[in-house]
Amino acid sequence: MALKLLLAIFLSIAMLSIAHSAKLGDIVFDDKAASLKKAGVGPAVFPHGKHEDIYKCDDCHPKIFKDKRGANDVTMQKNMSGEFCGNIECHNSPKAFPLYQCKKCHTEKKK
Ligand code: HEC
Ligand code: HEC
């Protein structure tokens, strides 16, 4: 009985830590579909896992991005004025490729 309980506790802790350490995959930004189409670029793909490898969660959350899919109203105007992807530590700095390299972010096929 006690053994079963111990085993159950052990298993739930193991499962929790696996769930916790799993990296998020690619997040597609495509809610501005009409303007993307007009500009002739595809949706932007944000490789979350790749950014997790380089930065800490609180480098981005919550000060640059809310940690909820679709909760950030990202536009190029905001990116260019230093918000979101265009933060001065990020794609508006020598640390990462610049904002004019459109196709490095807008990687998904045009719709
Ligand atoms: C370089 C910036 C950056 C870093 C570092 C980062 N995130 Fe995120 N995260 C984002 C962006 C961008 C989104 C997408 C937000 C959106 O869709 O508007 C996101 C989304 C999320 C979401 C929502 C996922 C969903 O499906 O709704 C969670 C949860 C999250 N991040 C947790 C984390 C955790 C935990 C870490 C650290 C291990 C982390 N993030 C590191 C930028 C980052
Ligand atoms: C660092 C990544 C990144 C780069 C580089 C980038 N974008 Fe974006 N862009 C985004 C994200 C993220 C969005 C949000 C898309 C959405 O939510 O639909 C966006 C939105 C857009 C939109 C729709 C919203 C708006 O502002 O009208 C257009 C059009 C656009 N980008 C064009 C471009 C063009 C043209 C370039 C190159 C000059 C470019 N982008 C470079 C990440 C990037």
Side-chain angles (χ1 to χ4, degrees):
M1 199 60 209
L3 193 66
K4 261 191 187 164
L5 189 65
L6 265 177
L7 196 65
I9 292 171
F10 173 79
L11 279 176
S12 20
I13 291 173
M15 270 153 66
L16 266 176
S17 53
I18 289 169
H20 198 77
S21 66
K23 274 195 252 173
L24 286 174
D26 289 351
I27 294 181
V28 180
F29 282 84
D30 63 356
D31 60 303
K32 307 276 192 312
S35 5
L36 292 169
K37 196 172 176 191
K38 209 168 147 198
V41 294
V45 179
F46 176 72
H48 197 282
K50 196 170 159 186
H51 287 79
E52 280 180 47
D53 290 342
I54 311 174
Y55 299 103
K56 291 197 221 52
C57 312
D58 65 4
D59 287 336
C60 290
H61 301 306
K63 61 180 180 198
I64 301 177
F65 290 101
K66 289 180 195 139
D67 62 350
K68 189 165 180 278
R69 208 174 288 238
N72 300 279
D73 184 27
V74 183
T75 65
M76 287 319 289
Q77 192 141 26
K78 289 181 187 169
N79 279 338
M80 286 184 284
S81 55
E83 290 180 63
F84 303 117
C85 320
N87 184 281
I88 52 154
E89 295 290 324
C90 312
H91 297 280
N92 235 333
S93 84
K95 293 185 199 164
F97 63 82
L99 285 172
Y100 61 76
Q101 293 187 331
C102 320
K103 299 216 162 118
K104 287 207 163 184
C105 293
H106 293 276
T107 53
E108 202 164 83
K109 249 182 70 197
K110 281 185 230 170
K111 287 199 172 143

